[in-house]
């Protein structure tokens, strides 16, 4: 039996007109680091998906996900940035003597102070209660921090 008897027959009893033979393994593409970085950045853009970006560049999504994972590795080894927040100090209020105030006054005061945050910036104290508008609080803080 010859190779032509095994592979060159078609269903329509017509001879095969074209035969492709692949020899060796396929050549891998070489991507420059700048190209990889550009494609990875494009995959993070809003409005697109990793699969769509991979198709556009003739990549498999798995390859692009691997590039994204390798791009994050240097960030994991980078030193942690300095904290941007001031440490919070929790101070318990001194209990008042039991005989001084009526019971209903204590309940109203406790309800009023629930969820209150007190900020002190350059000696100025600011109390932020529950439901305060975040933009207003941010504007006041910026005004306190601005040089006079």
């Amino acid at each position: 039996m010859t190779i032509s008897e095994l592979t060159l027959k078609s269903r329509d009893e017509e001879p095969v007109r074209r035969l492709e033979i692949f020899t060796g393994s396929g050549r891998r593409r070489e991507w420059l680091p700048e190209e990889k970085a550009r494609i990875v950045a494009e995959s993070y853009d809003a409005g697109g998906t990793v699969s769509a970006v991979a198709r556009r560049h003739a990549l498999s999504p798995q390859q692009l996900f691997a590039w994204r994972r390798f791009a994050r590795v240097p960030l994991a080894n980078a030193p942690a940035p300095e904290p941007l927040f001031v440490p919070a100090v929790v101070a318990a209020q001194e209990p008042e003597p039991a005989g001084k105030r009526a019971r209903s006054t204590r309940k109203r005061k406790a309800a009023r102070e629930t969820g209150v945050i007190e900020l002190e910036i350059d000696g100025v104290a600011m109390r932020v209660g529950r439901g305060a508008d975040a933009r207003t609080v941010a504007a006041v803080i910026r005004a306190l921090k601005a040089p006079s």
Side-chain angles (χ1 to χ4, degrees):
M1 184 176 283
T2 66
I3 194 163
S4 63
E5 289 175 340
L6 292 175
T7 60
L8 297 180
K9 293 186 180 179
S10 69
R11 293 183 195 171
D12 298 332
E13 298 300 325
E14 261 183 53
V16 175
R17 295 179 191 241
R18 181 174 176 189
L19 176 67
E20 291 184 42
I21 298 175
F22 296 99
T23 60
S25 62
R27 184 174 160 257
R28 293 182 175 206
R29 289 181 285 179
E30 296 290 328
W31 295 92
L32 295 175
E34 298 83 26
E35 290 175 312
K36 285 183 182 181
R38 183 180 48 77
I39 294 170
V40 167
E42 184 181 338
S43 73
Y44 280 109
D45 286 343
T49 63
V50 172
S51 294
V53 172
R55 272 192 303 271
R56 241 188 330 271
H57 296 284
L59 290 167
S60 71
Q62 293 85 355
Q63 181 66 55
L64 186 50
F65 276 116
W67 288 357
R68 288 166 53 126
R69 186 176 57 249
F70 290 133
R72 285 191 304 262
V73 170
L75 294 178
N77 296 334
E82 300 249 348
L84 299 176
F85 295 97
V86 179
V89 178
V90 179
Q93 293 183 351
E94 303 254 343
E96 293 185 23
K100 238 183 170 184
R101 300 181 78 131
R103 185 177 183 104
S104 63
T105 309
R106 277 186 270 158
K107 282 185 179 179
R108 275 188 269 141
K109 184 177 180 188
R112 188 175 59 227
E113 291 183 354
T114 302
V116 174
I117 297 173
E118 186 172 329
L119 302 172
E120 187 175 331
I121 302 172
D122 291 334
V124 177
M126 178 176 131
R127 294 176 64 121
V128 181
R130 178 181 296 168
D133 182 41
R135 283 184 255 161
T136 305
V137 172
V140 170
I141 291 172
R142 277 193 297 274
L144 288 173
K145 290 176 25 178
S148 302

